[in-house]
Amino acid sequence: MDFYLRSIKGQFNARGKMLKDNKFLVYAGSVISSEYSKSKKYLANSYRTRTQLMGMYIEDKEGVLTFTDNFPFSSPSRAAAVVMGRSANGREVWISET
């Protein structure tokens, strides 16, 4: 079953699916927010993941950040945080496409 995560303002538009062991796969072509929270919690956790993925799995084309390949995250919350640019409860924000 696929899930999506979209911003009303068009800042991000991502799709993915749950994997075994509570992991979450974000699909290639998913657009993530170019902005991110400056909160200590976000900077300590998800921002590090986000910066590590830049250039390897996420490309920046004129300010639009897009996954170039599918990427498995350790949880739906970590995937949502990277996509949204802020901490989030992945079980609440990813919406089923069915």
Side-chain angles (χ1 to χ4, degrees):
M1 174 185 331
D2 286 349
F3 292 85
Y4 69 90
L5 180 55
R6 294 185 188 115
S7 165
I8 295 171
K9 297 179 182 179
Q11 298 159 314
F12 50 85
N13 185 0
R15 291 182 60 240
K17 71 176 181 178
M18 287 297 300
L19 300 174
K20 293 179 182 178
D21 301 328
N22 198 38
K23 294 183 180 184
F24 193 89
L25 183 74
V26 173
Y27 294 143
S30 292
V31 175
I32 71 172
S33 177
S34 59
E35 299 177 7
Y36 60 89
S37 170
K38 306 289 192 293
S39 74
K40 288 181 183 180
K41 181 179 178 182
Y42 184 79
L43 292 175
N45 296 313
S46 300
Y47 180 75
R48 188 174 339 130
T49 301
R50 181 184 177 113
T51 56
Q52 290 171 342
L53 296 176
M54 291 298 297
M56 294 174 33
Y57 289 91
I58 299 171
E59 70 177 353
D60 183 345
K61 281 193 175 178
E62 299 178 16
V64 177
L65 304 178
T66 307
F67 273 88
T68 58
D69 201 357
N70 294 344
F71 187 80
F73 285 90
S74 59
S75 71
S77 293
R78 179 59 59 98
V82 169
V83 168
M84 298 172 73
R86 63 176 178 82
S87 297
N89 181 334
R91 298 219 178 259
E92 293 178 0
V93 298
W94 287 101
I95 299 169
S96 170
E97 290 191 337
T98 58

Coordinates of all heavy atoms in Angstrom, one line a residue:
M1 N 0.8 -1.2 0.0 CA 0.0 0.0 0.0 C 0.9 1.2 0.0 O 1.8 1.3 0.8 CB -0.9 0.0 1.2 CG -1.7 1.3 1.4 SD -2.7 1.4 2.9 CE -3.1 -0.2 3.4
D2 N 0.6 2.2 -0.9 CA 1.4 3.4 -1.0 C 0.8 4.5 -0.1 O -0.4 4.5 0.2 CB 1.4 3.9 -2.4 CG 2.3 3.1 -3.3 OD1 3.1 2.3 -2.7 OD2 2.3 3.3 -4.5
F3 N 1.6 5.4 0.3 CA 1.3 6.6 1.1 C 1.8 7.8 0.5 O 2.7 7.8 -0.3 CB 1.9 6.4 2.5 CG 1.3 5.3 3.4 CD1 1.8 4.1 3.3 CD2 0.2 5.6 4.2 CE1 1.3 3.0 4.0 CE2 -0.3 4.5 5.0 CZ 0.2 3.3 4.9
Y4 N 1.2 8.9 0.8 CA 1.6 10.2 0.3 C 1.7 11.3 1.4 O 1.1 11.1 2.4 CB 0.8 10.7 -0.9 CG -0.6 11.1 -0.5 CD1 -0.9 12.5 -0.2 CD2 -1.7 10.2 -0.6 CE1 -2.2 12.9 0.2 CE2 -2.9 10.6 -0.2 CZ -3.2 11.9 0.1 OH -4.4 12.3 0.5
L5 N 2.5 12.3 1.1 CA 2.7 13.4 2.1 C 2.8 14.7 1.2 O 3.8 14.8 0.5 CB 3.9 13.1 2.9 CG 4.3 14.2 4.0 CD1 3.1 14.4 5.0 CD2 5.5 13.7 4.8
R6 N 1.8 15.5 1.3 CA 1.8 16.7 0.4 C 1.6 18.0 1.3 O 0.8 17.9 2.2 CB 0.7 16.6 -0.6 CG 0.9 15.6 -1.6 CD -0.1 15.6 -2.7 NE 0.0 14.4 -3.5 CZ -0.9 13.4 -3.6 NH1 -2.0 13.5 -3.0 NH2 -0.7 12.4 -4.4
S7 N 2.2 19.0 0.9 CA 2.0 20.3 1.5 C 0.9 21.1 0.7 O 0.9 21.1 -0.5 CB 3.3 21.1 1.4 OG 3.1 22.5 1.7
I8 N 0.1 21.8 1.5 CA -0.9 22.6 0.8 C -0.3 23.7 0.0 O -0.8 24.1 -1.1 CB -1.9 23.2 1.9 CG1 -2.7 22.0 2.6 CG2 -2.8 24.2 1.3 CD1 -3.5 22.5 3.8
K9 N 0.8 24.2 0.5 CA 1.5 25.3 -0.2 C 2.5 24.8 -1.3 O 3.2 25.6 -1.8 CB 2.3 26.2 0.8 CG 1.3 26.8 1.8 CD 2.1 27.6 2.8 CE 1.2 28.3 3.8 NZ 2.0 29.1 4.8
G10 N 2.6 23.5 -1.5 CA 3.4 23.0 -2.5 C 4.9 22.9 -2.1 O 5.8 22.7 -3.0
Q11 N 5.2 22.9 -0.9 CA 6.6 22.9 -0.4 C 7.2 21.5 -0.5 O 8.4 21.3 -0.7 CB 6.7 23.3 1.0 CG 6.3 24.8 1.2 CD 5.9 25.1 2.7 OE1 5.2 24.3 3.3 NE2 6.4 26.2 3.2
F12 N 6.4 20.4 -0.4 CA 6.8 19.1 -0.6 C 5.7 18.2 -1.1 O 4.5 18.5 -1.0 CB 7.3 18.5 0.7 CG 6.4 18.7 1.9 CD1 5.4 17.8 2.2 CD2 6.6 19.8 2.8 CE1 4.5 18.0 3.2 CE2 5.7 20.0 3.9 CZ 4.7 19.0 4.1
N13 N 6.1 17.1 -1.8 CA 5.1 16.2 -2.4 C 5.8 14.9 -2.5 O 6.6 14.7 -3.4 CB 4.7 16.7 -3.7 CG 3.6 15.8 -4.3 OD1 3.2 14.9 -3.7 ND2 3.2 16.2 -5.5
A14 N 5.6 14.0 -1.5 CA 6.3 12.7 -1.5 C 5.4 11.5 -1.5 O 4.3 11.6 -1.0 CB 7.2 12.7 -0.3
R15 N 5.9 10.4 -1.9 CA 5.2 9.1 -1.9 C 6.2 8.1 -1.3 O 7.4 8.1 -1.5 CB 4.7 8.7 -3.3 CG 3.7 9.6 -3.8 CD 3.1 9.2 -5.2 NE 2.6 7.9 -5.1 CZ 3.0 6.9 -5.9 NH1 4.0 7.0 -6.7 NH2 2.4 5.7 -5.8
G16 N 5.6 7.0 -0.7 CA 6.4 5.9 -0.2 C 5.5 4.8 0.3 O 4.3 4.8 0.0
K17 N 6.2 3.8 0.9 CA 5.4 2.7 1.5 C 6.1 2.1 2.7 O 7.3 2.3 2.9 CB 5.3 1.6 0.4 CG 6.5 0.9 0.1 CD 6.3 -0.3 -0.9 CE 7.6 -1.0 -1.2 NZ 7.3 -2.1 -2.2
M18 N 5.3 1.5 3.5 CA 5.9 0.8 4.7 C 6.6 -0.5 4.3 O 6.2 -1.2 3.3 CB 4.8 0.4 5.7 CG 4.1 1.5 6.4 SD 5.2 2.4 7.6 CE 5.8 1.1 8.7
L19 N 7.7 -0.7 5.0 CA 8.5 -1.9 4.8 C 8.5 -2.8 6.0 O 7.9 -2.4 7.0 CB 9.9 -1.6 4.4 CG 10.2 -0.7 3.2 CD1 11.7 -0.3 3.1 CD2 9.7 -1.5 1.9
K20 N 9.1 -3.9 6.0 CA 9.2 -4.8 7.2 C 9.9 -4.0 8.3 O 10.7 -3.1 8.0 CB 9.9 -6.1 6.9 CG 9.1 -7.0 5.9 CD 9.9 -8.2 5.6 CE 9.1 -9.1 4.6 NZ 9.9 -10.3 4.3
D21 N 9.7 -4.4 9.5 CA 10.5 -3.9 10.6 C 10.2 -2.4 10.9 O 11.2 -1.7 11.3 CB 12.0 -4.2 10.5 CG 12.3 -5.7 10.4 OD1 11.5 -6.5 11.1 OD2 13.2 -6.1 9.8
N22 N 9.1 -1.9 10.5 CA 8.7 -0.5 10.7 C 9.5 0.5 9.9 O 9.5 1.7 10.2 CB 8.8 -0.1 12.2 CG 8.0 1.1 12.5 OD1 6.9 1.4 12.0 ND2 8.5 1.9 13.4
K23 N 10.2 0.1 8.9 CA 11.0 1.0 8.0 C 10.0 1.6 7.0 O 8.9 1.0 6.7 CB 12.1 0.2 7.3 CG 13.1 -0.2 8.4 CD 14.3 -0.9 7.7 CE 15.3 -1.3 8.8 NZ 16.5 -1.8 8.3
F24 N 10.4 2.7 6.4 CA 9.6 3.4 5.4 C 10.4 3.8 4.2 O 11.5 4.4 4.4 CB 9.0 4.6 6.1 CG 7.8 5.2 5.2 CD1 6.5 4.8 5.4 CD2 8.1 6.2 4.3 CE1 5.5 5.3 4.6 CE2 7.1 6.7 3.5 CZ 5.8 6.2 3.7
L25 N 10.0 3.4 3.0 CA 10.7 3.7 1.8 C 10.1 4.9 1.1 O 8.9 4.9 0.8 CB 10.5 2.5 0.8 CG 11.3 2.6 -0.5 CD1 12.8 2.4 -0.2 CD2 10.8 1.5 -1.5
V26 N 10.9 5.9 0.9 CA 10.4 7.1 0.1 C 10.9 6.9 -1.3 O 12.0 6.5 -1.6 CB 11.1 8.4 0.7 CG1 10.7 9.6 -0.2 CG2 10.6 8.7 2.1
Y27 N 9.9 7.1 -2.3 CA 10.1 6.8 -3.7 C 10.9 7.9 -4.4 O 10.8 9.1 -4.0 CB 8.8 6.7 -4.4 CG 8.0 5.5 -4.0 CD1 6.6 5.6 -4.0 CD2 8.5 4.3 -3.7 CE1 5.8 4.5 -3.6 CE2 7.7 3.2 -3.4 CZ 6.4 3.3 -3.3 OH 5.6 2.3 -3.0
A28 N 11.7 7.5 -5.3 CA 12.4 8.4 -6.2 C 11.4 9.4 -6.8 O 10.2 9.0 -7.1 CB 13.1 7.7 -7.3
G29 N 11.7 10.6 -7.0 CA 10.8 11.6 -7.6 C 10.1 12.4 -6.5 O 9.5 13.4 -6.8
S30 N 10.2 12.0 -5.3 CA 9.5 12.7 -4.2 C 10.3 14.0 -4.0 O 11.5 14.1 -3.9 CB 9.6 11.9 -2.9 OG 8.8 10.7 -3.0
V31 N 9.5 15.1 -3.8 CA 10.0 16.4 -3.6 C 9.9 16.7 -2.1 O 8.9 16.5 -1.5 CB 9.2 17.5 -4.4 CG1 9.7 18.9 -4.1 CG2 9.3 17.2 -5.9
I32 N 11.0 17.2 -1.5 CA 11.1 17.6 -0.1 C 11.2 19.1 0.1 O 11.6 19.8 -0.8 CB 12.2 16.8 0.6 CG1 13.6 17.4 0.2 CG2 12.1 15.3 0.3 CD1 14.7 16.8 1.1
S33 N 10.8 19.5 1.2 CA 10.8 21.0 1.5 C 12.3 21.5 1.5 O 13.2 20.8 2.0 CB 10.3 21.2 2.9 OG 10.4 22.6 3.3
S34 N 12.5 22.6 0.9 CA 13.8 23.2 0.8 C 14.1 24.0 2.2 O 15.2 24.3 2.4 CB 13.9 24.2 -0.3 OG 13.0 25.2 -0.3
E35 N 13.0 24.2 3.0 CA 13.2 24.8 4.3 C 13.2 23.8 5.3 O 12.7 22.7 5.1 CB 12.0 25.8 4.5 CG 12.0 26.9 3.5 CD 10.8 27.8 3.7 OE1 10.1 27.7 4.7 OE2 10.6 28.7 2.8
Y36 N 13.8 24.1 6.5 CA 13.9 23.2 7.6 C 13.9 23.9 8.9 O 14.3 25.0 9.0 CB 15.1 22.2 7.5 CG 16.4 23.0 7.5 CD1 17.0 23.3 8.7 CD2 17.0 23.4 6.3 CE1 18.2 23.9 8.7 CE2 18.2 24.1 6.3 CZ 18.8 24.4 7.5 OH 20.0 25.0 7.6
S37 N 13.4 23.2 9.9 CA 13.3 23.7 11.3 C 14.7 23.9 11.9 O 15.6 23.1 11.6 CB 12.5 22.8 12.1 OG 12.6 23.1 13.5
K38 N 14.8 24.9 12.6 CA 16.1 25.2 13.3 C 16.0 24.7 14.8 O 16.9 25.0 15.6 CB 16.4 26.7 13.3 CG 16.4 27.4 11.9 CD 17.6 26.9 11.1 CE 17.8 27.8 9.9 NZ 16.8 27.7 8.8
S39 N 15.0 23.9 15.1 CA 14.9 23.4 16.5 C 16.0 22.5 16.8 O 16.5 21.8 15.9 CB 13.5 22.7 16.7 OG 13.6 21.4 16.0
K40 N 16.4 22.4 18.1 CA 17.5 21.6 18.5 C 17.2 20.1 18.2 O 18.1 19.3 17.7 CB 17.8 21.7 20.0 CG 18.4 23.1 20.3 CD 18.7 23.2 21.8 CE 19.3 24.5 22.1 NZ 19.6 24.7 23.5
K41 N 16.0 19.7 18.4 CA 15.6 18.3 18.2 C 15.7 17.9 16.7 O 16.3 16.9 16.4 CB 14.1 18.1 18.6 CG 13.7 16.6 18.4 CD 12.2 16.4 18.9 CE 11.8 15.0 18.7 NZ 10.4 14.8 19.1
Y42 N 15.3 18.8 15.8 CA 15.4 18.5 14.4 C 16.8 18.5 14.0 O 17.3 17.6 13.2 CB 14.6 19.5 13.6 CG 14.6 19.1 12.1 CD1 13.8 18.1 11.6 CD2 15.5 19.7 11.2 CE1 13.8 17.7 10.3 CE2 15.5 19.3 9.9 CZ 14.7 18.3 9.4 OH 14.7 18.0 8.1
L43 N 17.6 19.5 14.4 CA 19.0 19.6 13.9 C 19.8 18.5 14.5 O 20.7 18.0 13.8 CB 19.6 21.0 14.4 CG 19.0 22.2 13.7 CD1 19.5 23.4 14.4 CD2 19.3 22.2 12.2
A44 N 19.5 17.9 15.6 CA 20.2 16.8 16.2 C 19.9 15.5 15.5 O 20.8 14.6 15.6 CB 20.0 16.7 17.7
N45 N 18.8 15.4 15.0 CA 18.4 14.1 14.4 C 18.2 14.1 12.9 O 19.1 13.6 12.2 CB 17.1 13.6 15.1 CG 17.2 13.4 16.5 OD1 18.1 12.8 17.0 ND2 16.3 13.9 17.3
S46 N 17.1 14.6 12.4 CA 16.8 14.5 11.0 C 17.6 15.3 10.0 O 17.8 15.0 8.9 CB 15.3 14.7 10.8 OG 14.6 13.8 11.5
Y47 N 18.0 16.5 10.5 CA 18.8 17.4 9.6 C 20.1 16.7 9.2 O 20.6 16.8 8.1 CB 19.2 18.7 10.3 CG 20.0 19.6 9.5 CD1 19.4 20.3 8.4 CD2 21.3 19.8 9.7 CE1 20.1 21.1 7.6 CE2 22.1 20.6 8.9 CZ 21.5 21.3 7.8 OH 22.2 22.1 7.0
R48 N 20.7 15.9 10.1 CA 22.0 15.2 9.8 C 21.7 14.2 8.7 O 22.5 14.1 7.8 CB 22.5 14.5 11.1 CG 23.9 13.9 10.9 CD 24.5 13.3 12.2 NE 23.9 13.9 13.3 CZ 23.4 13.2 14.4 NH1 23.5 11.9 14.4 NH2 22.9 13.8 15.4
T49 N 20.6 13.4 8.8 CA 20.2 12.5 7.8 C 20.0 13.2 6.5 O 20.5 12.8 5.4 CB 19.0 11.7 8.2 OG1 19.2 11.1 9.4 CG2 18.5 10.7 7.1
R50 N 19.3 14.3 6.5 CA 19.0 15.0 5.3 C 20.3 15.5 4.6 O 20.4 15.4 3.4 CB 18.1 16.2 5.7 CG 17.7 17.1 4.6 CD 17.0 18.3 5.3 NE 16.6 19.3 4.4 CZ 15.3 19.6 4.0 NH1 14.3 18.9 4.6 NH2 15.0 20.5 3.2
T51 N 21.2 16.0 5.3 CA 22.5 16.5 4.7 C 23.3 15.4 4.2 O 24.0 15.5 3.2 CB 23.3 17.4 5.7 OG1 23.6 16.7 6.9 CG2 22.5 18.7 6.1
Q52 N 23.3 14.2 4.8 CA 24.0 13.1 4.3 C 23.5 12.6 3.0 O 24.2 12.0 2.2 CB 24.0 12.0 5.4 CG 24.8 12.3 6.6 CD 24.7 11.2 7.7 OE1 23.7 10.5 7.7 NE2 25.6 11.2 8.7
L53 N 22.2 12.7 2.8 CA 21.5 12.2 1.6 C 21.7 13.2 0.4 O 21.6 12.8 -0.7 CB 20.0 12.0 1.8 CG 19.7 10.9 2.8 CD1 18.2 10.9 3.0 CD2 20.2 9.6 2.4
M54 N 22.0 14.5 0.7 CA 22.2 15.4 -0.4 C 23.4 15.0 -1.3 O 24.4 14.6 -0.8 CB 22.5 16.8 0.2 CG 21.4 17.5 0.9 SD 19.9 17.8 -0.2 CE 20.6 18.9 -1.3
G55 N 23.1 15.0 -2.6 CA 24.1 14.6 -3.5 C 24.2 13.1 -3.8 O 24.6 12.7 -4.9
M56 N 23.7 12.3 -2.9 CA 23.7 10.9 -3.1 C 22.3 10.4 -3.5 O 22.1 9.6 -4.4 CB 24.1 10.2 -1.8 CG 25.6 10.4 -1.5 SD 26.2 9.8 0.1 CE 25.3 8.3 0.3
Y57 N 21.3 10.8 -2.7 CA 19.9 10.4 -3.0 C 19.0 11.6 -3.2 O 17.8 11.4 -3.7 CB 19.4 9.6 -1.8 CG 20.0 8.2 -1.7 CD1 21.1 8.0 -1.0 CD2 19.4 7.2 -2.4 CE1 21.7 6.8 -0.9 CE2 19.9 5.9 -2.3 CZ 21.1 5.7 -1.6 OH 21.6 4.5 -1.5
I58 N 19.4 12.8 -2.9 CA 18.6 14.0 -3.0 C 19.4 15.0 -3.9 O 20.6 15.2 -3.6 CB 18.3 14.7 -1.7 CG1 17.5 13.7 -0.8 CG2 17.5 16.0 -1.9 CD1 17.3 14.2 0.6
E59 N 18.8 15.5 -4.9 CA 19.4 16.5 -5.7 C 18.7 17.9 -5.6 O 17.5 17.9 -5.4 CB 19.5 16.1 -7.2 CG 18.2 16.1 -7.9 CD 18.3 15.8 -9.4 OE1 19.5 15.6 -9.9 OE2 17.3 15.6 -10.1
D60 N 19.5 18.9 -5.8 CA 19.0 20.3 -5.7 C 19.0 20.9 -7.1 O 20.1 21.1 -7.6 CB 19.8 21.1 -4.7 CG 19.3 22.5 -4.5 OD1 18.5 23.0 -5.3 OD2 19.8 23.2 -3.6
K61 N 17.9 21.1 -7.7 CA 17.8 21.7 -9.0 C 17.0 23.0 -8.8 O 15.8 23.0 -8.7 CB 17.0 20.8 -10.0 CG 17.8 19.7 -10.6 CD 17.1 19.1 -11.8 CE 18.0 18.1 -12.4 NZ 17.3 17.5 -13.6
E62 N 17.8 24.1 -8.8 CA 17.3 25.4 -8.7 C 16.4 25.6 -7.5 O 15.3 26.1 -7.5 CB 16.6 25.8 -10.0 CG 17.5 25.9 -11.2 CD 16.8 26.2 -12.4 OE1 15.6 26.7 -12.4 OE2 17.4 26.0 -13.5
G63 N 16.8 25.0 -6.3 CA 16.0 25.1 -5.1 C 15.0 24.1 -4.9 O 14.3 24.1 -3.8
V64 N 14.8 23.2 -5.8 CA 13.8 22.1 -5.7 C 14.6 20.8 -5.3 O 15.4 20.4 -6.1 CB 13.0 21.9 -7.0 CG1 12.0 20.7 -6.8 CG2 12.2 23.1 -7.3
L65 N 14.3 20.3 -4.1 CA 15.0 19.1 -3.6 C 14.2 17.9 -3.9 O 13.0 17.7 -3.5 CB 15.2 19.2 -2.1 CG 16.0 20.5 -1.7 CD1 16.1 20.5 -0.1 CD2 17.3 20.6 -2.3
T66 N 14.8 16.9 -4.7 CA 14.1 15.8 -5.1 C 14.9 14.5 -4.9 O 16.1 14.5 -5.2 CB 13.8 15.9 -6.7 OG1 13.1 17.1 -6.9 CG2 12.9 14.8 -7.2
F67 N 14.2 13.4 -4.4 CA 14.9 12.1 -4.3 C 15.2 11.6 -5.7 O 14.3 11.5 -6.6 CB 14.0 11.1 -3.6 CG 14.2 11.2 -2.1 CD1 13.5 12.1 -1.3 CD2 15.1 10.4 -1.4 CE1 13.6 12.1 0.1 CE2 15.3 10.4 -0.1 CZ 14.6 11.3 0.7
T68 N 16.4 11.2 -6.0 CA 16.8 10.6 -7.3 C 16.7 9.1 -7.3 O 16.7 8.5 -8.4 CB 18.3 11.0 -7.6 OG1 19.1 10.5 -6.6 CG2 18.4 12.5 -7.7
D69 N 16.5 8.5 -6.1 CA 16.4 7.1 -6.0 C 15.5 6.8 -4.8 O 15.4 7.6 -3.9 CB 17.8 6.4 -5.9 CG 17.8 5.0 -6.2 OD1 16.8 4.4 -6.6 OD2 18.9 4.4 -6.2
N70 N 15.0 5.6 -4.8 CA 14.2 5.2 -3.6 C 15.2 5.1 -2.4 O 16.3 4.7 -2.5 CB 13.6 3.8 -3.8 CG 12.5 3.7 -4.8 OD1 12.0 4.7 -5.2 ND2 12.2 2.5 -5.3
F71 N 14.7 5.5 -1.2 CA 15.5 5.4 0.0 C 14.7 4.9 1.2 O 13.7 5.5 1.5 CB 16.1 6.8 0.3 CG 17.1 6.7 1.4 CD1 18.4 6.3 1.2 CD2 16.7 7.0 2.7 CE1 19.3 6.2 2.2 CE2 17.6 6.9 3.8 CZ 18.9 6.5 3.5
P72 N 15.3 3.9 1.9 CA 14.6 3.3 3.1 C 15.0 4.1 4.3 O 16.2 4.2 4.6 CB 15.1 1.9 3.1 CG 16.4 2.0 2.5 CD 16.4 3.1 1.5
F73 N 14.1 4.6 5.1 CA 14.3 5.2 6.4 C 14.0 4.3 7.5 O 13.3 3.3 7.3 CB 13.4 6.5 6.5 CG 13.8 7.6 5.7 CD1 13.4 7.8 4.4 CD2 14.7 8.6 6.2 CE1 13.8 8.8 3.6 CE2 15.1 9.6 5.4 CZ 14.7 9.8 4.1
S74 N 14.6 4.5 8.7 CA 14.4 3.7 9.8 C 13.0 3.7 10.4 O 12.6 2.8 11.1 CB 15.4 4.1 10.9 OG 15.2 5.4 11.3
S75 N 12.2 4.7 10.0 CA 10.8 4.8 10.5 C 10.1 5.8 9.6 O 10.7 6.6 8.9 CB 10.8 5.3 11.9 OG 11.2 6.7 12.0
P76 N 8.7 5.7 9.6 CA 7.9 6.7 8.9 C 8.1 8.1 9.4 O 8.0 9.1 8.7 CB 6.5 6.2 9.1 CG 6.5 5.1 10.1 CD 7.9 4.7 10.3
S77 N 8.4 8.2 10.7 CA 8.6 9.5 11.3 C 9.9 10.2 10.8 O 10.0 11.4 10.5 CB 8.7 9.5 12.8 OG 7.4 9.1 13.3
R78 N 11.0 9.4 10.7 CA 12.2 9.9 10.2 C 12.0 10.3 8.7 O 12.5 11.4 8.3 CB 13.3 8.9 10.3 CG 14.7 9.3 9.8 CD 15.3 10.6 10.4 NE 15.5 10.5 11.8 CZ 16.6 10.2 12.5 NH1 17.7 9.9 11.8 NH2 16.6 10.1 13.8
A79 N 11.3 9.5 7.9 CA 11.1 9.9 6.5 C 10.3 11.2 6.5 O 10.6 12.0 5.7 CB 10.3 8.7 5.9
A80 N 9.2 11.3 7.3 CA 8.4 12.5 7.3 C 9.2 13.7 7.6 O 9.1 14.8 7.1 CB 7.2 12.3 8.2
A81 N 10.0 13.6 8.6 CA 10.8 14.7 9.1 C 11.8 15.2 8.0 O 11.9 16.4 7.8 CB 11.6 14.3 10.4
V82 N 12.4 14.3 7.3 CA 13.3 14.7 6.2 C 12.5 15.4 5.1 O 12.9 16.4 4.6 CB 14.1 13.5 5.7 CG1 14.8 13.8 4.4 CG2 15.1 13.0 6.8
V83 N 11.4 14.8 4.7 CA 10.5 15.4 3.7 C 10.0 16.7 4.1 O 10.0 17.7 3.3 CB 9.3 14.4 3.3 CG1 8.3 15.1 2.5 CG2 9.9 13.2 2.7
M84 N 9.5 16.9 5.3 CA 8.8 18.1 5.7 C 9.8 19.2 6.2 O 9.4 20.3 6.3 CB 7.8 17.8 6.8 CG 6.7 16.9 6.3 SD 5.6 16.3 7.7 CE 4.7 17.8 8.0
G85 N 11.0 18.8 6.6 CA 11.9 19.7 7.1 C 11.6 20.1 8.6 O 12.1 21.1 9.1
R86 N 10.9 19.3 9.3 CA 10.6 19.5 10.7 C 10.2 18.1 11.3 O 9.9 17.2 10.6 CB 9.5 20.5 10.9 CG 8.2 20.0 10.3 CD 7.1 21.0 10.6 NE 5.8 20.6 10.0 CZ 4.9 19.8 10.5 NH1 5.2 19.2 11.6 NH2 3.8 19.5 9.9
S87 N 10.3 18.1 12.6 CA 9.9 16.8 13.3 C 8.4 16.5 13.1 O 7.6 17.5 13.0 CB 10.2 17.0 14.8 OG 11.5 17.1 15.0
A88 N 8.1 15.3 12.9 CA 6.7 14.9 12.7 C 6.5 13.4 13.1 O 7.4 12.6 13.1 CB 6.4 15.0 11.2
N89 N 5.2 13.1 13.4 CA 4.8 11.8 13.7 C 4.4 11.1 12.4 O 3.4 11.4 11.9 CB 3.7 11.7 14.7 CG 3.3 10.3 15.1 OD1 3.5 9.4 14.3 ND2 2.7 10.2 16.3
G90 N 5.3 10.3 11.9 CA 5.0 9.7 10.6 C 3.7 8.9 10.5 O 3.1 8.8 9.4
R91 N 3.3 8.3 11.6 CA 2.1 7.5 11.6 C 0.9 8.4 11.4 O -0.2 7.9 11.1 CB 2.0 6.6 12.8 CG 3.2 5.6 12.9 CD 2.7 4.3 13.4 NE 3.8 3.4 13.4 CZ 3.9 2.4 12.5 NH1 3.1 2.3 11.5 NH2 4.9 1.6 12.6
E92 N 1.0 9.6 11.7 CA -0.1 10.6 11.6 C -0.1 11.4 10.3 O -1.1 11.7 9.8 CB -0.1 11.5 12.8 CG -0.4 10.9 14.1 CD -0.3 11.9 15.2 OE1 -0.1 13.1 15.0 OE2 -0.6 11.4 16.4
V93 N 1.1 11.6 9.7 CA 1.1 12.5 8.6 C 1.1 11.8 7.2 O 0.7 12.4 6.2 CB 2.3 13.5 8.6 CG1 2.2 14.4 9.9 CG2 3.7 12.8 8.7
W94 N 1.7 10.6 7.1 CA 1.6 9.9 5.9 C 0.2 9.4 5.7 O -0.4 8.8 6.6 CB 2.6 8.7 5.9 CG 4.0 9.1 5.8 CD1 4.9 9.1 6.8 CD2 4.7 9.4 4.6 NE1 6.1 9.5 6.3 CE2 6.0 9.7 4.9 CE3 4.3 9.6 3.2 CZ2 7.0 10.1 4.0 CZ3 5.3 10.0 2.3 CH2 6.6 10.3 2.7
I95 N -0.4 9.6 4.5 CA -1.8 9.3 4.2 C -1.9 8.2 3.2 O -1.2 8.2 2.2 CB -2.6 10.6 3.7 CG1 -2.5 11.6 4.8 CG2 -4.0 10.2 3.4 CD1 -3.0 13.0 4.4
S96 N -2.7 7.2 3.5 CA -2.9 6.1 2.6 C -3.5 6.5 1.3 O -4.5 7.3 1.3 CB -3.8 5.0 3.2 OG -4.1 4.0 2.3
E97 N -3.1 5.9 0.1 CA -3.6 6.3 -1.2 C -4.8 5.4 -1.5 O -5.3 5.6 -2.6 CB -2.5 6.2 -2.2 CG -1.5 7.3 -2.1 CD -0.6 7.4 -3.3 OE1 -0.4 6.3 -4.0 OE2 0.0 8.4 -3.5
T98 N -5.2 4.5 -0.7 CA -6.4 3.7 -1.0 C -7.7 4.3 -0.7 O -7.8 5.2 0.0 CB -6.3 2.3 -0.3 OG1 -6.2 2.5 1.1 CG2 -5.1 1.5 -0.7

